[in-house]
Amino acid sequence: MVGPASSMFGAYESSQTESNIKGMAKLPCNKIHFSEDDGKLRTPTLVIWFKYGIASPVYSVDFRQVKEGSHWSSNHVFGSRAFFNVDESVLVIERVMEADSGQYKCRIDFEKSPTKNYVVNLSVIASDELMDYPGCEQMFQKFRAVYFFVNFIRFPD
């Protein structure tokens, strides 16, 4: 699902994605491609990923010096588990962990256009192995319902 929404980061275009624990997640960052927009060349110079609740960036790609981009990943969040696929405009997270769930913001700085921000909510689904225990399926469904409620409903300040 893609569209404008209010998130913990503010009102930005947003989308939803999910992954199983130990699976692979793809977090889209729209409009990152090199193209023309209203006759202006849209050349990204910097792509920075933030995770809600963490003050510093969790991933970045700097196109200012290198055409393919200079990639950096936070050792405390992803380490070597994440990479940015420039062709698909997605941040790929491998071996997804429960701690990876949450809201992410992709900020794109362009050479001659205003900065763009996009928000992606990543939901991490429990492994099927957990469902082998009696009553676990119902408990998981209740947890998932509460998790989605907390992540998607924003109460007024």
Side-chain angles (χ1 to χ4, degrees):
M1 172 192 333
V2 176
S6 180
S7 73
M8 295 177 209
F9 285 111
Y12 299 112
E13 186 172 332
S14 66
S15 64
Q16 168 73 28
T17 191
E18 60 183 36
S19 173
N20 291 327
I21 289 178
K22 298 182 183 177
M24 180 173 54
K26 291 184 175 185
L27 282 62
C29 189
N30 296 340
K31 298 183 184 173
I32 184 110
H33 53 281
F34 295 80
S35 67
E36 290 204 21
D37 184 35
D38 298 331
K40 296 180 183 177
L41 185 62
R42 293 173 46 83
T43 305
T45 56
L46 189 62
V47 178
I48 305 174
W49 283 90
F50 296 91
K51 183 176 182 195
Y52 183 78
I54 299 176
S56 56
V58 295
Y59 195 92
S60 68
V61 186
D62 188 342
F63 294 101
R64 293 174 289 188
Q65 302 287 328
V66 183
K67 183 181 177 183
E68 299 81 29
S70 176
H71 297 250
W72 172 85
S73 180
S74 169
N75 288 329
H76 301 294
V77 180
F78 299 130
S80 63
R81 297 183 306 119
F83 64 93
F84 188 76
N85 182 322
V86 177
D87 295 331
E88 294 183 32
S89 299
V90 295
L91 179 65
V92 179
I93 305 169
E94 297 176 327
R95 301 181 308 281
V96 170
M97 301 185 300
E98 188 176 349
D100 294 331
S101 68
Q103 277 195 349
Y104 292 83
K105 179 175 80 169
C106 172
R107 186 184 98 190
I108 312 164
D109 294 341
F110 294 97
E111 189 175 304
K112 296 180 180 179
S113 296
T115 296
K116 299 285 185 185
N117 292 285
Y118 300 94
V119 174
V120 180
N121 190 60
L122 172 61
S123 299
V124 177
I125 309 300
S127 173
D128 291 339
E129 295 170 11
L130 296 175
M131 303 307 166
D132 293 340
Y133 297 96
C136 193
E137 174 80 30
Q138 293 83 4
M139 185 175 69
F140 174 70
Q141 295 303 329
K142 287 179 185 176
F143 167 78
R144 189 172 183 189
V146 169
Y147 174 81
F148 281 118
F149 176 77
V150 169
N151 275 301
F152 291 110
I153 305 300
R154 189 163 183 209
F155 296 97
D157 296 330

